[in-house]
Amino acid sequence: MKSELFSRELDTISDRSIRTFAQTALDLLPDYFYTVPASSTGKYHPAYALGDGGLVRHTKAAARFAAHLLTLEQNRQQFTPTERDCIITAILLHDGWKHGKSGGGYTIHEHPSICALWVKNEAKLSGIIPQESRDLIASGIASHMGEWNYSNRSDVVLEKPVTELQKFVHMCDYLASRKDIEVAFSNEQEAAAKAGTLEEYVMSFGKYRGQLLVDVFRTNRGYVEWMQGNMTLREPLKTYVAQLLG
């Protein structure tokens, strides 16, 4: 399941039903969430959030900031246990529909609103947690862009954070988008380094996750060509794709 990529972050959610909600929602997110960079242009996020899987790493970083900050008494006292779990869940899902429902190549300005409505209304998420908790999670998602709530390319004006929960979610997202704050992903990087040879490389994202790259190439060369033309690939995948396409 796609949510396995966030097993550490999900473990920080104390309430079992909210954890199940977050896990189910992560599994329902579009495949592109697990492959695209955090920034379409590369201008607005640190190096670790760019390239293949960058949006996942950005999300993990924001959740890591939240988990650390919520260990402080001054922050824990602001929120109930349910609110703390809703904060983590909102952060895990906040950019889930960043490229919109069509999954184009660029960030959609109104993605916070799209995701918030989805969290509140998606039928496949019904019955897991009370609607009140869903609304709390959605509120954190809807306003996560903070003061950057308008765009010349859209008529939508996004919500600004008002409640303490909304402000906390925005703060964690903001910290995870600062170019001068680096976050280490040693375990994930070590796992990627163990990819081995071209013949042994296993896809770690998208609809072919878990399959050998060479098998994907044999059955769908066009997908590998699309990867090379539309994604910022990290090593060793970049080299392997180049080798396959000659």
Side-chain angles (χ1 to χ4, degrees):
M1 294 188 295
K2 293 183 285 189
S3 60
E4 291 175 356
L5 285 173
F6 291 97
S7 58
R8 290 185 180 181
E9 292 75 21
L10 288 167
D11 284 344
T12 66
I13 299 174
S14 300
D15 185 273
R16 183 177 299 178
S17 62
I18 298 178
R19 192 185 318 131
T20 298
F21 180 89
Q23 180 178 350
T24 304
L26 285 167
D27 285 329
L28 290 172
L29 290 180
D31 285 343
Y32 71 71
F33 171 76
Y34 292 90
T35 63
V36 299
S39 171
S40 304
T41 62
K43 294 180 181 178
Y44 305 113
H45 287 77
Y48 70 79
L50 304 180
D52 175 26
L55 185 54
V56 167
R57 289 186 294 276
H58 161 74
T59 303
K60 283 175 167 285
R64 193 178 299 183
F65 284 125
H68 283 307
L69 289 169
L70 286 173
T71 64
L72 297 176
E73 181 180 333
Q74 65 185 37
N75 292 325
R76 290 183 66 82
Q77 289 181 343
Q78 288 192 82
F79 307 107
T80 67
T82 295
E83 288 172 336
R84 293 196 292 268
D85 286 343
C86 287
I87 284 171
I88 298 296
T89 303
I91 288 172
L92 290 177
L93 301 176
H94 77 283
D95 277 341
W97 293 89
K98 190 161 189 176
H99 288 192
K101 294 181 179 180
S102 63
Y106 295 94
T107 297
I108 301 298
H109 166 70
E110 53 267 30
H111 71 274
S113 299
I114 293 171
C115 188
L117 288 172
W118 179 77
V119 164
K120 292 177 68 171
N121 301 318
E122 170 57 49
K124 293 179 181 178
L125 295 174
S126 296
I128 303 174
I129 58 176
Q131 187 63 43
E132 180 182 359
S133 295
R134 289 178 74 170
D135 292 345
L136 266 183
I137 294 166
S139 74
I141 293 169
S143 60
H144 78 259
M145 290 294 291
E147 61 196 80
W148 294 277
N149 66 329
Y150 63 91
S151 170
N152 294 331
R153 296 188 297 274
S154 174
D155 295 330
V156 175
V157 178
L158 299 170
E159 297 180 35
K160 285 185 177 182
V162 175
T163 69
E164 293 306 312
L165 183 148
Q166 290 176 319
K167 292 176 183 177
F168 193 92
V169 170
H170 169 57
M171 175 179 64
C172 294
D173 179 48
Y174 176 81
L175 290 172
S177 66
R178 298 305 89 196
K179 283 181 173 291
D180 60 343
I181 300 177
E182 286 293 329
V183 177
F185 291 91
S186 58
N187 291 338
E188 288 88 347
Q189 289 167 350
E190 288 168 8
K194 294 177 182 177
T197 65
L198 168 58
E199 289 71 22
E200 298 170 327
Y201 187 88
V202 177
M203 298 284 286
S204 61
F205 59 86
K207 61 182 178 180
Y208 293 113
R209 185 168 179 257
Q211 297 186 34
L212 290 172
L213 174 63
V214 290
D215 289 342
V216 174
F217 177 73
R218 293 189 187 104
T219 59
N220 191 352
R221 178 190 175 101
Y223 182 75
V224 178
E225 291 175 341
W226 177 87
M227 286 168 54
Q228 187 181 57
N230 295 277
M231 296 173 61
T232 303
L233 302 176
R234 287 172 167 256
E235 297 294 353
L237 181 57
K238 180 178 180 181
T239 295
Y240 291 160
V241 166
Q243 289 175 1
L244 287 171
L245 295 177

